[in-house]
Structures are given as C-alpha cells and as structure tokens.
Amino acid sequence: MLSKAKIKFIRSLDQKKERLLSGLFLAEGNKLVFDTLPFFKCRLLVATKGWLAANPDAVSSEIVEATPCEIATASLLQSPQDVIAVYEMLQYTIDPQQLKGELVLALDGVQDPGNMGTIIRTADWYGINTVLCSVGCADIYNPKTVQSTMGALARVRVVYVSLSDVLPQIGKPVLGTFLDGENIYSAELDNDVVIVMGNEGRGISDEVAALVTRKIFIPPFPVSGGRVESLNVAVATAVTCAEFRRRIK
C-alpha cells in the first residue's frame, strides 16, 4: 500500500526546491524506469504487482507495491503507467582532458524543459557524451525534462557551469549558431569542438558570444526566407549535430 505521506513526498519532487533539498528526482513510466534503473541509485520504487513480477531483479532501497489507482494519485503524468522511481541525482565535474577529441554541446540559457530534454535525447543519439549548461538553463531533473530525455539522461553527462569561465579552459574552438554565420552545409566542420546553442528567444548571450570563435547558420529554404524567423532550439540542435556527424571521415 502506498501511504499518503509517500504520495505527498513523490508529488513534492515536482518542485525544484524540494529536489535540491533532497538530492532526489522522479522518473515515471515503464520504458523510462527500465532504461534508467541500472544507472541511478534508486531510493524508492513504486510499482504494480504485475510490474514487479515482470521485473524481479529491480533494485531499490525501498520497494512499494501499489495499485494503479494509488500510482495515479502519486503520478505527475496525465496518463500514469505502472511504475514510479525516485532516484538520487548524479553530480558531474568537468575535466578538460576528458573532452579531447569529443564533440561537446553547450547550452546558453535554454529554459523550456521540453527543449532541454529533447536536446539531451538528441545528444545521446549522435554520440555526444557531455552537455554543458549555463546556470540559467532549465533543470535537467525537472520531471518534464526527465520524461523528454526518454532515458538519455542515464548516458549523457549534463553539467551546470559558468560557460564564460569553463569554455576558455577547454581549449577547443567554440562554434555558435547565429543568423549572420557561415552556411553550415558549406562550412568546414571539425568534430573536436564545442557547439553553443542559445536561449529560445534571445539566442546566445553577449558574454558567451564573445568567446565564440566561429559563427554558423542553418539556412532556410528558399534562402531568401520569408517564413518563420528562426528554428526551435531543439530542432536547430538536431540539424546542427546531424551535419557535424555527417562530416566524420
């Protein structure tokens, strides 16, 4: 049975301050929990009798069998599934030496949780192991962000840093997406760089833009434009990563 106290605790993790105080975050749904359970320390696993029977090797500090109705009461999803997991947050640090030879993403003020999660999922798809986030970015452990990553959070290191301090230390060329940049499809591209993607409305901040060594641009079709002003940042990230990976020889 899932107690009222545990239901209240689970639902409290929707709030950033509660996540920071506890060092815990929430993951919901059969596939997401199945994909993430091997990578995070699980403090609390709440699941139906059927889910627990189908996953007898699931490991958690505490396991509670619950009815679908109880799970629905605790869930933050519109369509609750059979399992909820409460995990300990991972804390990463940056060692510039570890990033040698790697394509790295840097997010400057990406604030929408859905965009954030989709970008992490895209990074995972294109084999990008590290994503640097400015302190103004959405919280990677926001439940909406966690859901949007579709399990990629377990495989991609997401590190919150001061980009203006860290980018010079990495020792790589820094490329940023700008409307006055080089056409990405004709520019020479190297996969040992940092790609900066900016805020949904303001783009890359002046402080970070000052560190950009090359500007790149995804052209519209036709080139004369006349349609939307810009691409969604998650879509632009996917297009950019795809083009960089296409150039690998």
Side-chain angles (χ1 to χ4, degrees):
M1 177 179 176
L2 188 61
S3 67
K4 289 183 179 179
K6 280 193 169 56
I7 291 173
K8 182 179 180 181
F9 164 66
I10 290 168
R11 293 191 64 84
S12 75
L13 295 177
D14 188 34
Q15 303 298 316
K16 184 175 182 179
K17 66 176 182 179
E18 295 297 332
R19 294 193 297 273
L20 291 176
L21 283 172
S22 64
L24 303 173
F25 72 100
L26 197 62
E28 295 194 57
N30 303 345
K31 185 179 186 308
L32 180 59
V33 172
F34 182 80
D35 287 346
T36 53
L37 199 56
F39 297 94
F40 294 94
K41 184 173 181 180
C42 188
R43 287 277 196 89
L44 173 64
L45 188 68
V46 178
T48 61
K49 182 177 181 179
W51 192 94
L52 291 172
N55 299 274
D57 297 328
V59 176
S60 175
S61 299
E62 183 179 5
I63 297 177
V64 176
E65 182 182 313
T67 66
C69 184
E70 289 170 336
I71 289 177
T73 302
S75 175
L76 301 178
L77 300 180
Q78 288 187 339
S79 302
Q81 297 182 34
D82 297 329
V83 61
I84 298 173
V86 176
Y87 292 127
E88 292 185 7
M89 296 179 181
L90 291 176
Q91 300 294 332
Y92 294 110
T93 56
I94 284 298
D95 179 357
Q97 295 299 315
Q98 292 179 335
L99 302 181
K100 283 187 175 180
E102 289 195 8
L103 183 62
V104 177
L105 271 180
L107 308 182
D108 184 20
V110 174
Q111 295 182 324
D112 181 81
N115 283 339
M116 188 77 166
T118 301
I119 289 171
I120 302 306
R121 186 179 177 184
T122 298
D124 188 36
W125 180 261
Y126 286 109
I128 296 172
N129 300 315
T130 303
V131 177
L132 307 176
C133 298
S134 70
V135 292
C137 283
D139 179 14
I140 189 62
Y141 293 117
N142 180 306
K144 292 180 181 177
T145 308
V146 174
Q147 294 297 133
S148 297
T149 68
M150 294 296 290
L153 183 59
R155 295 175 293 273
V156 178
R157 290 177 296 179
V158 179
V159 192
Y160 287 80
V161 298
S162 167
L163 293 180
S164 59
D165 291 337
V166 169
L167 290 180
Q169 297 174 14
I170 294 176
K172 291 177 182 283
V174 178
L175 280 68
T177 50
F178 292 85
L179 293 176
D180 61 345
E182 300 173 68
N183 185 324
I184 191 172
Y185 300 120
S186 56
E188 290 189 12
L189 302 178
D190 186 339
N191 275 259
D192 188 12
V193 300
V194 179
I195 304 170
V196 181
M197 307 300 296
N199 173 268
E200 289 88 344
R202 300 186 302 274
I204 297 173
S205 65
D206 292 343
E207 186 179 32
V208 175
L211 302 173
V212 170
T213 53
R214 283 182 64 197
K215 297 180 178 181
I216 53 175
F217 171 59
I218 302 170
F221 185 85
V223 178
S224 57
R227 290 179 170 81
V228 295
E229 202 173 85
S230 62
L231 286 173
N232 167 275
V233 65
V235 173
T237 301
V239 172
T240 301
C241 291
E243 185 60 20
F244 270 81
R245 289 314 201 196
R246 190 178 72 85
R247 303 297 185 88
I248 294 178
K249 298 174 182 177

